[in-house]
């Protein structure tokens, strides 16, 4: 969302401060990601300047002063951008601490994402959410995880192979069609199968397509997509653990075993 948001902003402003802002911010020493909330007058000016320019449905959560280049951090969910106090100049790019090589913008975005994941932990693991997921239990099922997958995702298929090699797990799978038009069709066909988990395993592990869903079948795709937006999932597989943390991307079974051993609820 951040890239598209920034493109909208940059089209809206006639003289964006881009390369110069990157060079200046990168050259300055950085001690913290935020120096505190913006003064009320500055925040009001920035909000007014950005009003209607961040895209439909994008909400500014907070505006704070940064310790570099007289810029302010504008936070929208886990996304951040930088702007001057007048709201005229937008900074596009990452702030790098040259003394350490750290990408402070990336660190900040990841911290905000983790904060959002913790806040939504109870929502994600509630029965209201899990009723929209497939459920697979192996052994005693004590070690639980949630995974968002697209039925055409190659790494998701490898993820299913990882689960096949593990025991004492419960996996809740949300079908999130994002890769192709047929992803939605396959997701619906799986969901509307008499045995959803078997239909999904047959497709992901053995390439056996599920039967076409009946027209009157109610699927859970819309609910899963809404949940994925709240969690800001933009790729599959996305794995969530019971302690509120996430792991984007494929994990081989040995790595997943080690990760599960560190989960503390």
């Amino acid at each position: 969302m951040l890239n598209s948001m920034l493109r909208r902003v940059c089209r809206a402003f006639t003289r964006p401060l881009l390369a110069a802002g990157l060079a200046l911010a990168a050259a300055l020493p950085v001690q913290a990601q935020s120096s505190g909330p913006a003064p009320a007058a500055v925040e009001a000016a920035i909000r007014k300047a950005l009003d209607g320019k961040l895209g439909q449905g994008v909400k500014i959560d907070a505006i704070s002063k940064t310790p570099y280049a007289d810029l302010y951090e504008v936070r929208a969910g886990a996304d951040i951008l930088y702007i001057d106090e007048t709201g005229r100049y937008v900074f596009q790019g990452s702030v790098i601490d040259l003394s350490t090589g750290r990408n402070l913008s990336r660190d900040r975005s990841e911290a905000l994402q983790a904060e959002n994941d913790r806040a939504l932990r109870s929502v994600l693991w509630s029965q209201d959410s899990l009723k929209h997921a497939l459920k697979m239990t192996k052994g005693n099922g004590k070690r639980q995880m949630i995974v968002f997958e697209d039925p055409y995702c190659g790494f998701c298929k490898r993820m299913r192979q990882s689960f096949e090699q593990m025991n004492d797990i419960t996996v809740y799978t949300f079908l999130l069609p994002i890769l192709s038009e047929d992803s939605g069709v396959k997701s619906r066909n799986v969901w509307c199968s008499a045995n959803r988990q078997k239909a999904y395993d047959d497709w992901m592990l053995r390439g056996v397509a599920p039967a076409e869903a009946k027209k009157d079948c109610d699927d859970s795709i819309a609910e899963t997509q809404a949940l994925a937006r709240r969690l800001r999932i933009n790729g599959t597989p996305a794995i969530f653990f019971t302690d509120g943390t996430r792991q984007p991307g494929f994990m081989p079974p040995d790595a997943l075993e080690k990760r599960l051993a560190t989960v503390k609820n």
Side-chain angles (χ1 to χ4, degrees):
M1 184 180 73
L2 180 57
N3 288 336
S4 59
M5 184 169 68
L6 286 169
R7 284 196 294 270
R8 293 188 189 99
V9 172
C10 291
R11 285 197 297 267
F13 287 82
T14 56
R15 296 176 60 193
L17 186 61
L18 302 179
L22 175 59
L24 180 59
L28 293 176
V30 178
Q31 298 177 351
Q33 282 292 81
S34 174
S35 295
V42 173
E43 179 172 346
I46 292 175
R47 287 185 179 274
K48 182 178 180 181
L50 292 177
D51 185 34
K53 296 183 174 70
L54 297 184
Q56 185 177 4
V58 177
K59 175 181 174 292
I60 295 176
D61 295 319
I63 299 174
S64 56
K65 183 73 170 65
T66 74
Y68 31 78
D70 293 324
L71 293 173
Y72 288 82
E73 175 192 286
V74 177
R75 178 164 64 88
D79 293 327
I80 57 175
L81 59 85
Y82 304 99
I83 193 168
D84 79 315
E85 66 179 14
T86 69
R88 183 178 182 183
Y89 298 110
V90 173
F91 164 62
Q92 181 181 13
S94 296
V95 177
I96 308 297
D97 184 341
L98 293 182
S99 66
T100 63
R102 287 179 56 203
N103 185 326
L104 298 176
S105 297
R106 182 184 61 200
D107 290 351
R108 178 69 167 151
S109 292
E110 290 177 352
L112 291 172
Q113 181 66 73
E115 179 183 310
N116 182 69
D117 289 346
R118 287 192 295 271
L120 290 175
R121 175 187 174 188
S122 61
V123 174
L124 177 61
W125 286 94
S126 70
Q127 287 305 309
D128 282 344
S129 293
L130 294 180
K131 68 182 181 182
H132 300 299
L134 310 180
K135 182 180 179 180
M136 177 185 71
T137 301
K138 299 184 67 178
N140 61 33
K142 289 184 177 180
R143 301 181 299 167
Q144 300 183 58
M145 67 196 91
I146 286 171
V147 60
F148 287 77
E149 296 184 349
D150 182 294
Y152 279 96
C153 165
F155 282 107
C156 298
K157 293 181 178 182
R158 292 180 62 186
M159 198 76 248
R160 307 316 295 188
Q161 294 171 5
S162 290
F163 297 149
E164 284 287 291
Q165 300 175 50
M166 300 174 66
N167 199 17
D168 296 335
I169 57 173
T170 296
V171 181
Y172 295 95
T173 303
F174 286 91
L175 302 178
L176 183 62
I178 59 176
L179 294 180
S180 72
E181 183 176 346
D182 197 49
S183 294
V185 175
K186 282 291 188 298
S187 296
R188 187 171 188 277
N189 290 345
V190 166
W191 184 260
C192 295
S193 298
N195 187 328
R196 295 166 179 166
Q197 187 61 56
K198 182 180 185 304
Y200 191 58
D201 285 342
D202 282 346
W203 169 248
M204 298 296 278
L205 295 171
R206 293 173 278 278
V208 179
E212 184 177 353
K214 295 181 180 180
K215 293 182 179 180
D216 60 352
C217 174
D218 293 326
D219 60 67
S220 291
I221 294 176
E223 289 81 0
T224 294
Q225 290 173 329
L227 181 60
R229 284 193 293 270
R230 292 185 66 183
L231 292 164
R232 305 183 189 108
I233 297 172
N234 52 25
T236 56
I239 310 167
F240 291 79
F241 301 99
T242 53
D243 60 358
T245 60
R246 79 163 72 187
Q247 171 64 45
F250 164 73
M251 294 187 75
D254 55 343
L256 188 52
E257 291 279 4
K258 291 178 181 178
R259 180 67 184 83
L260 287 169
T262 67
V263 173
K264 297 179 180 180
N265 299 323

